[in-house]
Amino acid sequence: MLRSCTAGLRSLWALRGRREGAARLSADLQPARRLFSTEKAVHKDWALPNPSWSKDLKLLFDQFMKKCEDGSWERLPSCKHTCTYKSEDFKTYFLDPQLVEGEGLSQAQLFTRGFEDGLGFEYVIFNNNDEKRTVCLFQGGPYLQGIPGFLHGGAIATMIDVAFGSCAAISGGAVMTANLNINFKRPVPLCSVVVIHSQLDKLEGRKLFVSCNVRSVDEKTLYSEATGLFIKLDPKKSST
Ligand SMILES: CCCCCCCCCCCCCCCC(=O)SCCNC(=O)CCNC(=O)[C@H](O)C(C)(C)COP(=O)(O)OP(=O)(O)OC[C@H]1O[C@@H](n2cnc3c(N)ncnc32)[C@H](O)[C@@H]1OP(=O)(O)O
């Protein structure tokens, strides 16, 4: 596995520099895009295949894209910078106006999208609105190593948080993580693909309870299980 990861690393480095040329422009305006962005400009969509995606990831992606055809599932597009859920609402209600107006946010980018193609978090999230659940297809690259050959637990926790965040935000709008509980059951091999199945279990006032499991592509290995609590932000309260 380590050998294949090293080979993967070599080809990943070869990919550097080609990234901006990769046309992952989000011309395909899907319903989810309207949900997740209030921006007028067309932004690059990072939740689309790039050359670093493994066969497994591409195969799963294609399977889920097929499921999108009847409208039961939708792919959630992902931008790197300001394209968060109702980001204008966030700016209006929750952020320090000086930070928004000044240059403070100009360098900001979504943590999980800050790596070169294939080196960090490669993922796409699909949403099933009727069933209140999402599926995140995630390939963790070599820069996410913890114990040699395996993904860092913090990287797994990050992806779980992102998957939960999307699942909760779809029902709750502007939400924040209040609690995460993760049981790590098996280590995740570096550069492998895992599937994060998240579910909104309960909505109680401003509280959204979510749970997930992280499994191998063949579903035989259960890597982690987690629960989370997200709180719908109250515009009357300041976050700072
Ligand atoms: C940001 C997302 C945007 C969406 C984008 C979507 C697409 C893009 C994908 C990227 C997705 C990235 C996802 C990253 C998501 C973060 O990483 S968020 C960052 C990490 N989290 C934080 O920094 C949160 C810090 N905590 C806080 O700011 C505040 O505690 C909170 C969470 C806003 C809650 O404060 P509050 O609004 O004053 O709520 P409060 O009145 O204290 O509590 C409300 C209720 O919740 C309960 N509660 C609150 N905290 C807890 C707790 N820890 N345990 C148990 N109960 C609790 C209270 O007891 C209360 O219960 P009831 O009395 O109503 O029964």
Side-chain angles (χ1 to χ4, degrees), residues 198-210:
S198 307
Q199 175 86 44
L200 175 68
D201 295 325
K202 196 168 53 166
L203 182 60
E204 205 179 85
R206 290 196 294 128
K207 293 186 282 191
L208 297 104
F209 295 86
V210 285

Side-chain angles (χ1 to χ4, degrees), residues 48-117:
L48 287 170
N50 70 54
S52 78
W53 283 28
S54 66
K55 227 162 92 182
D56 278 346
L57 188 55
K58 275 185 274 188
L59 204 71
L60 277 173
F61 177 83
D62 289 343
Q63 285 170 5
F64 271 90
M65 288 307 286
K66 264 243 153 317
K67 291 186 186 191
C68 291
E69 284 171 9
D70 67 4
S72 55
W73 287 84
E74 60 182 349
R75 183 184 66 85
L76 304 181
S78 172
C79 296
K80 195 172 178 176
H81 297 279
T82 54
C83 188
T84 48
Y85 183 78
K86 293 182 180 171
S87 59
E88 292 307 319
D89 289 352
F90 254 93
K91 285 179 191 168
T92 306
Y93 294 122
F94 307 115
L95 291 182
D96 176 352
Q98 275 181 335
L99 187 68
V100 174
E101 256 128 61
E103 290 191 355
L105 286 183
S106 64
Q107 298 277 306
Q109 53 179 279
L110 191 60
F111 170 38
T112 47
R113 295 298 185 190
F115 293 81
E116 297 291 327
D117 275 0

Side-chain angles (χ1 to χ4, degrees), residues 36 83-85 90 110 112 123 125 161-166 169 173-179 204 206-207 229-234 237 239:
F36 270 68
C83 188
T84 48
Y85 183 78
F90 254 93
L110 191 60
T112 47
Y123 64 97
I125 299 175
D161 195 21
V162 168
F164 274 166
S166 302
V175 295
M176 273 186 115
T177 319
N179 182 268
E204 205 179 85
R206 290 196 294 128
K207 293 186 282 191
L229 172 65
F230 283 71
I231 309 290
K232 198 169 151 67
L233 296 181
D234 182 347
K237 290 185 181 175
S239 282

